[in-house]
Amino acid sequence: MALTAETESRLYRSLRAAAGAAAHLVALGFPTGVAVLARPGSSLFSWHPLLMALAVSPPSGYRPRCSLPMGTSPGTEAEPTSALVGGGRLSPGRRRPLPSVSQFSFLMTEALLMFSPETSVLRSFSRKVKVRAHWALQLLALVCALLGLGIITYNKHLNGKAHFVTWHGLTGLLTVLYTGGQCAGGVLLLYPKLLKNWTLAKLKLYHATSGLVGYLLGCASLMLGMCSLWFTTSVTSVSWYLAMLCPLLTSLVIMNQVSNAYLYRKRSQH
């Protein structure tokens, strides 16, 4: 028996609400797991994954298996990467800080979900309040990302390690820079009169689209980080696959939200 249009609409809204709720849980659960594994305060480096777990995807302090250093051929065995913290080399059996693989799991995800019609934590508030909460969370995410980037850079400097030599590191750096540019572009939405030749609707469309690109870039860096040697030895078997599903879930939820709010509506107007 065919479903009526109203029933299909209710089913679709229910599925979106369930997916949004799952995204909220992932956004909170992932950085919580990072904090438990990284043990912030145990070393200088331990603050890096915690800060990045609250912000946007950065470079990792560990060499991912799937990210060879630039200029290294696939047949060449790379030098083993050990966790260097505070100038000392950790023993193989000691727990190491988690590489920064879940930075945008909380602040950025929640900032984007702020506009979700089904699962926004401020759903009953006006759009003006949601906008203010959105840019506040995004600003906090950028601050955390810059602090985390500074810590990992200084830590590598102390231990004589090269900077940004893996695809994960380069992707993470690009994500942090992209996030800074995205936040700067958001100022134009707060003050649209700065660009008199652009309509507010067009600025919103471009900002939402570029924000989605930045979020997907962060997801790519996150998944590269979860291929690191430390992560694959600490999180194994089914748990590793479940962890990989987390950025896929949140990215699909955000893509659906932005597409329904802007892209599909824009296409239907033509």
Side-chain angles (χ1 to χ4, degrees), residues 39-104:
R39 296 185 301 174
S42 60
S43 65
L44 173 64
F45 183 84
S46 64
W47 291 106
H48 170 68
L50 177 63
L51 288 169
M52 292 306 194
L54 298 174
V56 196
S57 188
S60 169
Y62 303 100
R63 179 171 301 161
R65 279 182 177 175
C66 55
S67 297
L68 289 174
M70 293 299 187
T72 302
S73 61
T76 304
E77 183 177 357
E79 178 186 356
T81 304
S82 299
L84 291 171
V85 181
R89 185 177 297 272
L90 293 177
S91 61
R94 183 177 174 183
R95 174 177 289 186
R96 303 171 183 175
L98 180 69
S100 37
V101 295
S102 59
Q103 321 145 8
F104 59 96

Short mmCIF file of all heavy atoms in Angstrom, two decimals, residues 39-104:
data_model
loop_
_atom_site.label_atom_id
_atom_site.label_comp_id
_atom_site.label_asym_id
_atom_site.label_seq_id
_atom_site.Cartn_x
_atom_site.Cartn_y
_atom_site.Cartn_z
N ARG A 39 44.12 12.15 28.61
CA ARG A 39 44.47 12.56 29.97
C ARG A 39 45.10 13.95 29.98
O ARG A 39 46.30 14.12 30.21
CB ARG A 39 45.42 11.56 30.61
CG ARG A 39 44.82 10.18 30.79
CD ARG A 39 45.76 9.27 31.54
NE ARG A 39 47.04 9.12 30.86
CZ ARG A 39 48.07 8.47 31.38
NH1 ARG A 39 48.00 7.94 32.58
NH2 ARG A 39 49.19 8.36 30.69
N PRO A 40 44.29 15.00 29.73
CA PRO A 40 44.82 16.37 29.68
C PRO A 40 45.56 16.74 30.96
O PRO A 40 45.10 16.46 32.06
CB PRO A 40 43.54 17.22 29.51
CG PRO A 40 42.53 16.29 28.95
CD PRO A 40 42.85 14.94 29.51
N GLY A 41 46.69 17.38 30.79
CA GLY A 41 47.52 17.77 31.91
C GLY A 41 48.65 16.82 32.19
O GLY A 41 49.59 17.16 32.92
N SER A 42 48.61 15.63 31.62
CA SER A 42 49.69 14.66 31.83
C SER A 42 50.96 15.05 31.07
O SER A 42 52.03 14.57 31.38
CB SER A 42 49.24 13.26 31.41
OG SER A 42 48.89 13.24 30.04
N SER A 43 50.81 15.92 30.07
CA SER A 43 51.95 16.39 29.29
C SER A 43 51.52 17.63 28.52
O SER A 43 50.35 17.99 28.50
CB SER A 43 52.42 15.31 28.31
OG SER A 43 51.41 15.05 27.36
N LEU A 44 52.50 18.29 27.91
CA LEU A 44 52.18 19.44 27.08
C LEU A 44 51.31 19.03 25.91
O LEU A 44 50.31 19.68 25.58
CB LEU A 44 53.47 20.09 26.58
CG LEU A 44 53.30 21.22 25.55
CD1 LEU A 44 52.56 22.40 26.16
CD2 LEU A 44 54.67 21.67 25.02
N PHE A 45 51.68 17.92 25.27
CA PHE A 45 50.95 17.48 24.08
C PHE A 45 49.52 17.06 24.39
O PHE A 45 48.64 17.15 23.53
CB PHE A 45 51.69 16.31 23.43
CG PHE A 45 51.05 15.84 22.15
CD1 PHE A 45 51.32 16.47 20.96
CD2 PHE A 45 50.16 14.78 22.16
CE1 PHE A 45 50.73 16.06 19.79
CE2 PHE A 45 49.55 14.35 20.98
CZ PHE A 45 49.84 15.00 19.79
N SER A 46 49.27 16.62 25.63
CA SER A 46 47.95 16.10 25.96
C SER A 46 46.86 17.15 25.83
O SER A 46 45.67 16.81 25.70
CB SER A 46 47.95 15.52 27.38
OG SER A 46 48.20 16.54 28.34
N TRP A 47 47.24 18.45 25.89
CA TRP A 47 46.24 19.50 25.72
C TRP A 47 45.84 19.68 24.27
O TRP A 47 44.76 20.19 23.99
CB TRP A 47 46.79 20.83 26.27
CG TRP A 47 46.92 20.82 27.75
CD1 TRP A 47 48.08 20.74 28.48
CD2 TRP A 47 45.85 20.89 28.71
NE1 TRP A 47 47.80 20.75 29.83
CE2 TRP A 47 46.45 20.84 30.00
CE3 TRP A 47 44.47 20.98 28.60
CZ2 TRP A 47 45.69 20.88 31.16
CZ3 TRP A 47 43.72 21.02 29.76
CH2 TRP A 47 44.33 20.98 31.01
N HIS A 48 46.71 19.28 23.37
CA HIS A 48 46.42 19.45 21.94
C HIS A 48 45.18 18.68 21.49
O HIS A 48 44.28 19.27 20.89
CB HIS A 48 47.65 19.04 21.13
CG HIS A 48 47.42 18.95 19.66
ND1 HIS A 48 47.15 20.05 18.89
CD2 HIS A 48 47.40 17.89 18.82
CE1 HIS A 48 46.98 19.67 17.64
NE2 HIS A 48 47.12 18.37 17.57
N PRO A 49 45.09 17.37 21.74
CA PRO A 49 43.89 16.65 21.28
C PRO A 49 42.63 17.13 21.97
O PRO A 49 41.55 17.13 21.36
CB PRO A 49 44.20 15.19 21.62
CG PRO A 49 45.27 15.24 22.64
CD PRO A 49 46.08 16.45 22.34
N LEU A 50 42.71 17.55 23.25
CA LEU A 50 41.51 18.02 23.93
C LEU A 50 40.99 19.30 23.30
O LEU A 50 39.80 19.44 23.03
CB LEU A 50 41.80 18.25 25.41
CG LEU A 50 40.62 18.82 26.22
CD1 LEU A 50 39.45 17.84 26.21
CD2 LEU A 50 41.05 19.14 27.64
N LEU A 51 41.90 20.25 23.05
CA LEU A 51 41.48 21.50 22.43
C LEU A 51 40.92 21.26 21.04
O LEU A 51 39.91 21.85 20.65
CB LEU A 51 42.67 22.47 22.36
CG LEU A 51 43.12 23.08 23.69
CD1 LEU A 51 44.45 23.81 23.52
CD2 LEU A 51 42.06 24.03 24.22
N MET A 52 41.58 20.39 20.29
CA MET A 52 41.12 20.13 18.95
C MET A 52 39.84 19.29 18.93
O MET A 52 39.10 19.34 17.96
CB MET A 52 42.22 19.42 18.15
CG MET A 52 43.41 20.33 17.88
SD MET A 52 42.90 21.87 17.10
CE MET A 52 44.48 22.50 16.55
N ALA A 53 39.61 18.54 20.00
CA ALA A 53 38.37 17.79 20.08
C ALA A 53 37.18 18.71 20.27
O ALA A 53 36.03 18.32 20.08
CB ALA A 53 38.42 16.80 21.24
N LEU A 54 37.46 19.95 20.63
CA LEU A 54 36.40 20.93 20.82
C LEU A 54 36.28 21.88 19.64
O LEU A 54 35.37 22.70 19.60
CB LEU A 54 36.67 21.75 22.09
CG LEU A 54 36.69 20.96 23.39
CD1 LEU A 54 37.11 21.88 24.54
CD2 LEU A 54 35.33 20.33 23.68
N ALA A 55 37.20 21.78 18.67
CA ALA A 55 37.24 22.80 17.63
C ALA A 55 37.15 22.23 16.25
O ALA A 55 36.15 21.63 15.87
CB ALA A 55 38.50 23.64 17.81
N VAL A 56 38.21 22.41 15.45
CA VAL A 56 38.21 22.00 14.05
C VAL A 56 39.46 21.23 13.73
O VAL A 56 40.49 21.46 14.31
CB VAL A 56 38.16 23.22 13.12
CG1 VAL A 56 37.78 22.82 11.72
CG2 VAL A 56 37.20 24.23 13.65
N SER A 57 39.43 20.36 12.72
CA SER A 57 40.48 19.38 12.49
C SER A 57 41.87 19.94 12.26
O SER A 57 42.10 20.65 11.32
CB SER A 57 40.10 18.56 11.29
OG SER A 57 40.95 17.52 11.13
N PRO A 58 42.88 19.59 13.10
CA PRO A 58 44.23 20.08 12.99
C PRO A 58 45.20 19.01 12.60
O PRO A 58 44.86 17.86 12.51
CB PRO A 58 44.53 20.49 14.39
CG PRO A 58 43.90 19.42 15.16
CD PRO A 58 42.73 18.94 14.35
N PRO A 59 46.49 19.32 12.50
CA PRO A 59 47.49 18.32 12.28
C PRO A 59 47.74 17.46 13.50
O PRO A 59 47.62 17.96 14.61
CB PRO A 59 48.74 19.12 11.94
CG PRO A 59 48.43 20.53 12.19
CD PRO A 59 46.97 20.66 12.47
N SER A 60 48.10 16.24 13.30
CA SER A 60 48.35 15.33 14.42
C SER A 60 49.81 15.30 14.76
O SER A 60 50.67 15.56 13.94
CB SER A 60 47.89 13.92 14.05
OG SER A 60 48.33 12.98 14.98
N GLY A 61 50.11 14.91 16.00
CA GLY A 61 51.48 14.76 16.41
C GLY A 61 52.04 13.41 16.06
O GLY A 61 53.19 13.12 16.34
N TYR A 62 51.25 12.54 15.44
CA TYR A 62 51.67 11.20 15.11
C TYR A 62 51.49 10.95 13.63
O TYR A 62 50.60 11.48 13.00
CB TYR A 62 50.88 10.16 15.91
CG TYR A 62 51.00 10.40 17.37
CD1 TYR A 62 50.00 11.05 18.06
CD2 TYR A 62 52.15 10.01 18.04
CE1 TYR A 62 50.13 11.29 19.42
CE2 TYR A 62 52.27 10.24 19.39
CZ TYR A 62 51.26 10.88 20.08
OH TYR A 62 51.38 11.14 21.41
N ARG A 63 52.34 10.10 13.11
CA ARG A 63 52.33 9.83 11.68
C ARG A 63 51.29 8.78 11.35
O ARG A 63 51.37 7.65 11.79
CB ARG A 63 53.71 9.35 11.25
CG ARG A 63 53.83 9.03 9.79
CD ARG A 63 55.27 8.79 9.45
NE ARG A 63 56.05 9.97 9.76
CZ ARG A 63 57.38 9.94 9.90
NH1 ARG A 63 58.03 8.81 9.79
NH2 ARG A 63 58.03 11.05 10.18
N PRO A 64 50.27 9.12 10.56
CA PRO A 64 49.26 8.15 10.20
C PRO A 64 49.83 7.07 9.30
O PRO A 64 50.70 7.32 8.47
CB PRO A 64 48.20 8.98 9.46
CG PRO A 64 48.48 10.40 9.86
CD PRO A 64 49.95 10.45 10.10
N ARG A 65 49.30 5.87 9.44
CA ARG A 65 49.71 4.78 8.55
C ARG A 65 49.40 5.12 7.10
O ARG A 65 50.14 4.78 6.20
CB ARG A 65 48.96 3.50 8.93
CG ARG A 65 49.56 2.77 10.12
CD ARG A 65 48.76 1.50 10.38
NE ARG A 65 49.32 0.74 11.46
CZ ARG A 65 48.74 -0.35 11.94
NH1 ARG A 65 47.63 -0.78 11.42
NH2 ARG A 65 49.31 -1.00 12.92
N CYS A 66 48.26 5.75 6.90
CA CYS A 66 47.85 6.02 5.53
C CYS A 66 48.36 7.36 5.04
O CYS A 66 47.96 7.82 3.99
CB CYS A 66 46.32 6.00 5.43
SG CYS A 66 45.52 7.12 6.57
N SER A 67 49.28 8.01 5.78
CA SER A 67 49.82 9.29 5.36
C SER A 67 51.33 9.26 5.45
O SER A 67 51.91 9.57 6.49
CB SER A 67 49.26 10.43 6.25
OG SER A 67 47.88 10.53 6.12
N LEU A 68 51.97 8.86 4.37
CA LEU A 68 53.42 8.84 4.34
C LEU A 68 53.96 10.25 4.30
O LEU A 68 53.31 11.16 3.77
CB LEU A 68 53.90 8.08 3.10
CG LEU A 68 53.68 6.56 3.11
CD1 LEU A 68 54.07 6.01 1.75
CD2 LEU A 68 54.46 5.89 4.22
N PRO A 69 55.14 10.48 4.85
CA PRO A 69 55.74 11.79 4.74
C PRO A 69 55.94 12.17 3.29
O PRO A 69 56.14 11.33 2.42
CB PRO A 69 57.09 11.63 5.47
CG PRO A 69 56.92 10.43 6.34
CD PRO A 69 55.97 9.54 5.63
N MET A 70 55.90 13.47 3.00
CA MET A 70 56.10 13.96 1.65
C MET A 70 57.48 13.52 1.15
O MET A 70 58.48 13.68 1.84
CB MET A 70 56.00 15.48 1.61
CG MET A 70 54.61 15.97 1.93
SD MET A 70 53.43 15.36 0.73
CE MET A 70 51.98 16.24 1.23
N GLY A 71 57.52 12.98 -0.06
CA GLY A 71 58.78 12.55 -0.64
C GLY A 71 59.18 11.14 -0.31
O GLY A 71 60.21 10.66 -0.78
N THR A 72 58.38 10.44 0.52
CA THR A 72 58.68 9.05 0.87
C THR A 72 57.93 8.12 -0.07
O THR A 72 56.72 8.23 -0.22
CB THR A 72 58.25 8.75 2.32
OG1 THR A 72 58.92 9.65 3.18
CG2 THR A 72 58.59 7.32 2.69
N SER A 73 58.64 7.24 -0.72
CA SER A 73 58.00 6.30 -1.65
C SER A 73 57.29 5.21 -0.88
O SER A 73 57.68 4.89 0.25
CB SER A 73 59.06 5.68 -2.56
OG SER A 73 60.00 4.96 -1.80
N PRO A 74 56.21 4.64 -1.42
CA PRO A 74 55.45 3.61 -0.72
C PRO A 74 56.31 2.42 -0.32
O PRO A 74 56.02 1.75 0.65
CB PRO A 74 54.36 3.22 -1.73
CG PRO A 74 54.23 4.41 -2.62
CD PRO A 74 55.59 5.00 -2.71
N GLY A 75 57.38 2.14 -1.06
CA GLY A 75 58.19 0.98 -0.74
C GLY A 75 59.24 1.24 0.32
O GLY A 75 59.95 0.33 0.74
N THR A 76 59.37 2.50 0.74
CA THR A 76 60.37 2.84 1.74
C THR A 76 59.75 2.80 3.11
O THR A 76 58.70 3.40 3.34
CB THR A 76 60.93 4.25 1.47
OG1 THR A 76 61.44 4.29 0.15
CG2 THR A 76 62.02 4.60 2.47
N GLU A 77 60.41 2.16 4.03
CA GLU A 77 59.89 2.08 5.38
C GLU A 77 60.17 3.38 6.11
O GLU A 77 61.31 3.82 6.22
CB GLU A 77 60.54 0.92 6.15
CG GLU A 77 59.96 0.75 7.55
CD GLU A 77 60.56 -0.44 8.25
OE1 GLU A 77 61.38 -1.14 7.62
OE2 GLU A 77 60.24 -0.65 9.43
N ALA A 78 59.12 4.01 6.59
CA ALA A 78 59.28 5.29 7.28
C ALA A 78 59.84 5.06 8.67
O ALA A 78 59.65 4.02 9.28
CB ALA A 78 57.94 6.03 7.36
N GLU A 79 60.52 6.07 9.18
CA GLU A 79 61.06 5.98 10.52
C GLU A 79 59.93 5.90 11.52
O GLU A 79 58.97 6.66 11.44
CB GLU A 79 61.91 7.23 10.80
CG GLU A 79 62.49 7.26 12.20
CD GLU A 79 63.19 8.57 12.48
OE1 GLU A 79 63.27 9.39 11.55
OE2 GLU A 79 63.65 8.77 13.62
N PRO A 80 59.97 4.98 12.47
CA PRO A 80 58.89 4.86 13.44
C PRO A 80 58.72 6.16 14.20
O PRO A 80 59.68 6.81 14.58
CB PRO A 80 59.37 3.74 14.39
CG PRO A 80 60.37 2.97 13.59
CD PRO A 80 61.02 3.96 12.67
N THR A 81 57.48 6.51 14.41
CA THR A 81 57.16 7.75 15.10
C THR A 81 56.79 7.44 16.54
O THR A 81 55.82 6.74 16.79
CB THR A 81 55.98 8.47 14.40
OG1 THR A 81 56.33 8.66 13.06
CG2 THR A 81 55.66 9.78 15.06
N SER A 82 57.53 7.97 17.46
CA SER A 82 57.25 7.78 18.87
C SER A 82 56.65 9.04 19.44
O SER A 82 56.89 10.14 18.94
CB SER A 82 58.53 7.44 19.65
OG SER A 82 59.11 6.26 19.15
N ALA A 83 55.85 8.89 20.47
CA ALA A 83 55.25 10.04 21.11
C ALA A 83 56.29 10.74 21.95
O ALA A 83 56.80 10.20 22.91
CB ALA A 83 54.09 9.59 21.99
N LEU A 84 56.61 11.98 21.57
CA LEU A 84 57.58 12.75 22.31
C LEU A 84 56.85 13.82 23.08
O LEU A 84 56.22 14.68 22.50
CB LEU A 84 58.59 13.38 21.34
CG LEU A 84 59.52 12.40 20.63
CD1 LEU A 84 60.30 13.12 19.55
CD2 LEU A 84 60.47 11.74 21.62
N VAL A 85 56.95 13.79 24.37
CA VAL A 85 56.22 14.72 25.21
C VAL A 85 57.18 15.30 26.21
O VAL A 85 57.84 14.57 26.95
CB VAL A 85 55.06 14.02 25.94
CG1 VAL A 85 54.30 15.02 26.79
CG2 VAL A 85 54.13 13.37 24.94
N GLY A 86 57.24 16.64 26.24
CA GLY A 86 58.06 17.31 27.22
C GLY A 86 59.53 16.97 27.10
O GLY A 86 60.27 17.01 28.07
N GLY A 87 59.98 16.64 25.89
CA GLY A 87 61.38 16.38 25.67
C GLY A 87 61.80 14.95 25.92
O GLY A 87 62.94 14.57 25.70
N GLY A 88 60.89 14.10 26.38
CA GLY A 88 61.24 12.71 26.67
C GLY A 88 60.53 11.76 25.75
O GLY A 88 59.49 12.07 25.20
N ARG A 89 61.07 10.56 25.60
CA ARG A 89 60.47 9.56 24.74
C ARG A 89 59.69 8.57 25.59
O ARG A 89 60.22 7.99 26.52
CB ARG A 89 61.56 8.82 23.97
CG ARG A 89 61.01 7.83 22.95
CD ARG A 89 62.14 7.19 22.19
NE ARG A 89 62.88 8.17 21.42
CZ ARG A 89 62.57 8.52 20.19
NH1 ARG A 89 61.52 8.00 19.60
NH2 ARG A 89 63.29 9.41 19.54
N LEU A 90 58.42 8.41 25.25
CA LEU A 90 57.58 7.51 26.02
C LEU A 90 57.95 6.07 25.72
O LEU A 90 58.30 5.72 24.60
CB LEU A 90 56.10 7.73 25.66
CG LEU A 90 55.50 9.08 26.09
CD1 LEU A 90 54.08 9.15 25.59
CD2 LEU A 90 55.57 9.26 27.58
N SER A 91 57.84 5.24 26.70
CA SER A 91 58.09 3.82 26.50
C SER A 91 56.94 3.20 25.72
O SER A 91 55.82 3.69 25.77
CB SER A 91 58.22 3.12 27.85
OG SER A 91 57.03 3.26 28.60
N PRO A 92 57.19 2.12 24.96
CA PRO A 92 56.15 1.54 24.11
C PRO A 92 54.91 1.14 24.89
O PRO A 92 53.81 1.18 24.36
CB PRO A 92 56.85 0.33 23.48
CG PRO A 92 58.31 0.64 23.56
CD PRO A 92 58.49 1.44 24.81
N GLY A 93 55.06 0.73 26.14
CA GLY A 93 53.90 0.25 26.87
C GLY A 93 53.10 1.33 27.54
O GLY A 93 52.04 1.07 28.09
N ARG A 94 53.62 2.55 27.54
CA ARG A 94 52.92 3.62 28.24
C ARG A 94 51.85 4.23 27.36
O ARG A 94 52.02 4.41 26.17
CB ARG A 94 53.94 4.71 28.64
CG ARG A 94 53.32 5.84 29.44
CD ARG A 94 54.40 6.83 29.85
NE ARG A 94 53.83 8.00 30.48
CZ ARG A 94 54.54 9.05 30.88
NH1 ARG A 94 55.86 9.05 30.70
NH2 ARG A 94 53.96 10.08 31.44
N ARG A 95 50.74 4.62 27.97
CA ARG A 95 49.64 5.21 27.22
C ARG A 95 50.08 6.56 26.66
O ARG A 95 50.62 7.40 27.37
CB ARG A 95 48.44 5.42 28.14
CG ARG A 95 47.31 6.17 27.45
CD ARG A 95 46.09 6.29 28.33
NE ARG A 95 45.43 5.03 28.50
CZ ARG A 95 44.27 4.91 29.14
NH1 ARG A 95 43.69 5.94 29.68
NH2 ARG A 95 43.72 3.73 29.26
N ARG A 96 49.79 6.77 25.39
CA ARG A 96 50.18 8.00 24.73
C ARG A 96 48.96 8.88 24.51
O ARG A 96 47.86 8.39 24.37
CB ARG A 96 50.85 7.70 23.38
CG ARG A 96 52.06 6.80 23.50
CD ARG A 96 52.55 6.36 22.14
NE ARG A 96 53.67 5.45 22.26
CZ ARG A 96 54.22 4.84 21.22
NH1 ARG A 96 53.75 5.04 20.01
NH2 ARG A 96 55.24 4.03 21.40
N PRO A 97 49.19 10.20 24.40
CA PRO A 97 48.07 11.09 24.14
C PRO A 97 47.44 10.78 22.79
O PRO A 97 48.13 10.42 21.84
CB PRO A 97 48.73 12.49 24.13
CG PRO A 97 50.00 12.31 24.89
CD PRO A 97 50.44 10.91 24.63
N LEU A 98 46.17 10.95 22.72
CA LEU A 98 45.44 10.67 21.49
C LEU A 98 45.78 11.69 20.43
O LEU A 98 45.81 12.87 20.68
CB LEU A 98 43.93 10.74 21.76
CG LEU A 98 43.01 10.47 20.59
CD1 LEU A 98 43.11 9.01 20.18
CD2 LEU A 98 41.59 10.82 20.94
N PRO A 99 46.04 11.27 19.19
CA PRO A 99 46.25 12.22 18.13
C PRO A 99 44.98 13.02 17.89
O PRO A 99 43.89 12.57 18.16
CB PRO A 99 46.59 11.34 16.92
CG PRO A 99 46.20 9.98 17.29
CD PRO A 99 46.12 9.89 18.77
N SER A 100 45.17 14.22 17.35
CA SER A 100 44.02 15.10 17.20
C SER A 100 43.17 14.63 16.05
O SER A 100 43.40 14.98 14.92
CB SER A 100 44.51 16.52 16.94
OG SER A 100 45.64 16.51 16.13
N VAL A 101 42.17 13.83 16.36
CA VAL A 101 41.36 13.22 15.30
C VAL A 101 39.88 13.52 15.45
O VAL A 101 39.07 12.98 14.71
CB VAL A 101 41.55 11.69 15.31
CG1 VAL A 101 42.97 11.31 14.97
CG2 VAL A 101 41.18 11.10 16.66
N SER A 102 39.50 14.36 16.39
CA SER A 102 38.06 14.59 16.56
C SER A 102 37.77 16.01 16.94
O SER A 102 36.91 16.28 17.76
CB SER A 102 37.53 13.66 17.65
OG SER A 102 38.21 13.91 18.86
N GLN A 103 38.47 16.95 16.28
CA GLN A 103 38.45 18.31 16.75
C GLN A 103 37.13 19.02 16.54
O GLN A 103 36.79 19.89 17.33
CB GLN A 103 39.52 19.07 16.02
CG GLN A 103 40.71 18.21 15.87
CD GLN A 103 41.42 18.42 14.62
OE1 GLN A 103 41.13 19.31 13.89
NE2 GLN A 103 42.38 17.63 14.37
N PHE A 104 36.48 18.76 15.44
CA PHE A 104 35.25 19.48 15.16
C PHE A 104 34.04 18.74 15.69
O PHE A 104 32.91 19.02 15.33
CB PHE A 104 35.09 19.71 13.66
CG PHE A 104 35.06 18.45 12.87
CD1 PHE A 104 33.86 17.88 12.51
CD2 PHE A 104 36.23 17.83 12.49
CE1 PHE A 104 33.84 16.71 11.78
CE2 PHE A 104 36.21 16.66 11.76
CZ PHE A 104 35.02 16.11 11.40
#
